[in-house]
Amino acid sequence: MIHSTLCYIENENGEYLMLHRVKKKGDMNQDKWLGVGGKCEDGESPDECLLREVREETGLTLTDYRYRAVVTFVSDQWETEYMHLFTATGYTGEIKECDEGNLEWVPKSRVQDLPIWEGDKLFFRLIDDRESPFFSLKLSYVGDKLVSAALDGKELPL
């Protein structure tokens, strides 16, 4: 089972730093827009993975972040993945070029219009609620199609 992190970094203008995945060969996220993050290395906590991946992909060092959820991805094509979801509002450094895609600040109101995974739309609604407690979300896919979703163990309508 894979453990990974994903972070949506927000700036003072109400924009998320999004990664348009267009550079990596054989990428399951090819042409999709995501936050930044990646796979946990052996012995690495989700927090350590988050900080390393953000620094590697963006050049930024996070100074204020929040652990928001565990998202379980089940797929007919890929290994099951536990993704540790974070949001961040504090960082230092300058954005650098990313070897996995193109980084761009996108207004939060436009993110849902981008080619993103169907399940991402569900957790965007949950993380936009700043008072929302930590949650567990299970997303099941057949190919690129979301076929079921459960929030804290309860099925959600699609």
Side-chain angles (χ1 to χ4, degrees):
M1 188 167 308
I2 297 169
H3 282 265
S4 66
T5 60
L6 184 67
C7 185
Y8 288 97
I9 302 169
E10 186 177 345
N11 68 15
E12 64 280 351
N13 299 321
E15 299 168 317
Y16 282 134
L17 184 59
M18 300 293 290
L19 176 59
H20 188 199
R21 300 285 295 250
V22 293
K23 294 182 182 177
K24 193 174 172 183
K25 299 255 190 252
D27 188 356
M28 70 181 289
N29 295 304
Q30 184 67 37
D31 297 324
K32 298 269 195 257
W33 290 75
L34 305 169
V36 293
K39 293 181 183 156
C40 295
E41 295 178 353
D42 187 44
E44 199 172 45
S45 72
D47 296 80
E48 291 166 332
C49 176
L50 167 74
L51 295 172
R52 177 185 53 77
E53 285 285 349
V54 167
R55 196 172 42 257
E56 288 175 2
E57 291 184 359
T58 69
L60 300 176
T61 299
L62 295 182
T63 59
D64 186 20
Y65 63 90
R66 185 172 165 204
Y67 193 1
R68 303 299 302 272
V70 172
V71 181
T72 304
F73 289 100
V74 178
S75 167
D76 66 333
Q77 298 177 344
W78 307 97
E79 187 176 352
T80 297
E81 180 175 346
Y82 285 143
M83 183 190 72
H84 304 271
L85 180 64
F86 293 84
T87 55
T89 54
Y91 51 88
T92 60
E94 297 295 321
I95 293 177
K96 68 175 187 85
E97 187 171 329
C98 179
D99 61 1
E100 296 184 8
N102 301 318
L103 292 164
E104 183 178 329
W105 289 106
V106 177
K108 288 168 64 173
S109 62
R110 283 196 35 238
V111 169
Q112 300 253 3
D113 299 330
L114 298 171
I116 61 176
W117 289 99
E118 290 178 68
D120 292 14
K121 294 177 182 183
L122 295 174
F123 64 69
F124 270 119
R125 286 197 299 269
L126 294 166
I127 64 174
D128 277 345
D129 177 6
R130 293 263 181 225
E131 300 306 313
S132 178
F134 186 87
F135 59 91
S136 172
L137 185 64
K138 181 179 180 182
L139 303 171
S140 297
Y141 284 88
V142 172
D144 284 356
K145 175 122 181 87
L146 182 64
V147 295
S148 70
L151 176 62
D152 296 329
K154 296 182 182 109
E155 284 294 316
L156 295 174
L158 296 182

